[in-house]
Amino acid sequence: MRKLLLAVAAAAFALVPALLPDLAQAQSPIVIKFSHVVANDTPKGKGALKFKELAEKYTDGKVKVEVYPNSSLYKDKEEIEALQLGSVQMLAPSTAKFAPLGIKEFEALDLPWLFKDDATYSSAMKGTIGKWLFQKLEAKGITGLGYWDNGFHMVSSNRPLTKPEDFKGLKFRISGSKIADQYFRLMGSIPQIMAFSEVYQALQTGVVDGCENTASNYLTQKFYEVQKDITVSYHAHLQYAVIVNSKFWSGLPPDIRAQLEKAMNEATDYTNLIAHQENEDALAEIKKAGKTKLHYLTDADRKAWQEAMRPTYTWAKGRVGQEVLDLVAKELDVKMN
């Protein structure tokens, strides 16, 4: 009997090493790689860090979120493909980045002078428009989790830009939106698509003459250091869509997914709440630095810009389709032609 017990004990002991890897794996946290292209000290950067904090808190450490800012993992031209392949689990690209996937409807959000203010944007994206657009992503293996605000675009160059004719012949970096391409062409300039991580050097060396972006990005990427003039035009809005690989998301345990949804909803509210103030603070910092001159549009200037860019709305029908334009027109009470 004693020999039998010893044999059983020995056999059980022999199984322990084989079981240890499974045990270790069961205790390992689920890793979410969250890649983005801007600095930590921006609305999107702070939103990603807030999500990390809340996700790890609500899952009691069962999930670990690794945030990779400033294109340190993938550039904005590469990241969506990396998400679809499962090399990264979460992104927050500008909504213009979905057009290469064949989902051009998102570009309707880039129409000039579309959103009256940040509150109008936030309300619209929580409603019919935002939900309808996210449904378009599902066929591409992507699930939309939230829309993050980054405020309104300013435009810069090494000469003042207050009249439409001031844009004539200048090369402007754009993120890829054909809507932005169109309104810059209408102003007489030459738009050029370029990765966000390459913009500073392109401005510094004169590869492009100027760009459009929000105050927080002008500050944190130091664009203002290589541009003599910035026009606080607020002519178009910059928004991000927080997205996740659908296969990864649907494969999570339901309780973990629910906790992550809670974390994302709270991180979204946080990001959208701070976006306006972050840009106001950034604008004040740029002004304080004294390296670039800020210009503001008069009512007559703004009207001239609006009239020059207005044909973008008619042109957009052939690009994004009537259905999304009708949704936007109804939600925001704007005319599309």
Side-chain angles (χ1 to χ4, degrees), residues 11-321:
F13 186 76
L15 284 173
V16 169
L19 292 172
L20 283 176
D22 291 336
L23 186 61
Q25 188 175 4
Q27 293 174 338
S28 296
I30 297 166
V31 175
I32 296 177
K33 292 182 179 179
F34 191 158
S35 174
H36 64 80
V37 302
V38 301
N40 280 327
D41 195 23
T42 58
K44 177 160 68 172
K46 290 184 176 182
L49 293 174
K50 175 60 73 172
F51 172 71
K52 169 183 170 64
E53 172 196 331
L54 295 175
E56 292 176 356
K57 174 184 174 183
Y58 292 153
T59 63
D60 197 24
K62 293 175 184 175
V63 169
K64 180 184 177 184
V65 180
E66 298 176 353
V67 178
Y68 296 88
N70 276 324
S71 306
S72 58
L73 196 60
Y74 295 103
K75 293 183 179 181
D76 50 5
K77 290 181 179 179
E78 309 161 345
E79 60 180 11
I80 291 183
E81 183 180 3
L83 182 88
Q84 290 177 304
L85 293 172
S87 301
V88 62
Q89 288 73 45
M90 195 172 288
L91 305 172
S94 62
T95 52
K97 294 295 189 298
F98 297 124
L101 291 177
I103 310 172
K104 300 173 183 177
E105 291 89 345
F106 276 91
E107 287 186 357
L109 305 176
D110 299 328
L111 284 165
W113 316 101
L114 182 64
F115 297 107
K116 178 173 65 175
D117 50 34
D118 290 292
T120 302
Y121 157 78
S122 184
S123 175
M125 301 319 292
K126 286 183 177 180
T128 306
I129 298 171
K131 293 173 184 175
W132 186 85
L133 287 171
F134 270 163
Q135 287 175 356
K136 296 285 181 181
L137 293 175
E138 291 294 340
K140 306 297 181 181
I142 297 170
T143 298
L145 300 179
Y147 293 96
W148 287 2
D149 186 1
N150 195 14
F152 290 87
H153 280 303
M154 308 189 299
V155 68
S156 66
S157 184
N158 286 317
R159 73 186 194 200
L161 301 168
T162 55
K163 315 289 184 190
E165 52 266 32
D166 296 333
F167 286 74
K168 189 171 180 62
L170 295 182
K171 295 173 291 193
F172 282 89
R173 179 268 175 178
I174 62 171
S175 65
S177 171
K178 291 297 184 182
I179 296 291
D181 180 278
Q182 183 69 10
Y183 63 66
F184 271 111
R185 290 185 187 279
L186 288 168
M187 298 288 271
S189 57
I190 306 159
Q192 296 189 8
I193 298 172
M194 183 178 294
F196 189 68
S197 59
E198 300 169 6
V199 177
Y200 180 91
Q201 186 176 6
L203 293 171
Q204 186 180 44
T205 58
V207 171
V208 292
D209 299 300
C211 68
E212 65 172 358
N213 225 295
T214 60
S216 63
N217 283 341
Y218 269 104
L219 177 68
T220 57
Q221 299 296 322
K222 303 186 186 299
F223 296 160
Y224 73 97
E225 293 184 352
V226 288
Q227 296 278 264
K228 293 178 182 177
D229 298 275
I230 293 177
T231 303
V232 187
S233 52
Y234 295 161
H235 59 280
H237 193 270
L238 177 58
Q239 58 281 323
Y240 306 117
V242 187
I243 56 176
V244 67
N245 178 289
S246 295
K247 186 177 180 180
F248 168 80
W249 190 247
S250 62
L252 291 172
D255 60 325
I256 294 290
R257 192 165 56 246
Q259 290 157 347
L260 292 177
E261 285 173 349
K262 179 183 178 184
M264 180 54 65
N265 290 338
E266 291 184 19
T268 297
D269 289 342
Y270 165 82
T271 306
N272 292 344
L273 183 66
I274 67 169
H276 178 75
Q277 192 59 49
E278 288 285 317
N279 281 304
E280 288 294 307
D281 292 346
L283 191 60
E285 284 294 316
I286 292 169
K287 186 175 183 178
K288 183 180 176 182
K291 294 187 177 183
T292 185
K293 186 173 182 180
L294 298 179
H295 304 272
Y296 294 83
L297 300 179
T298 64
D299 288 343
D301 291 335
R302 186 175 295 102
K303 185 177 180 181
W305 282 43
Q306 289 170 340
E307 288 178 354
M309 293 180 174
R310 187 70 197 174
T312 307
Y313 279 67
T314 302
W315 178 90
K317 180 179 177 181
R319 172 67 180 175
V320 302

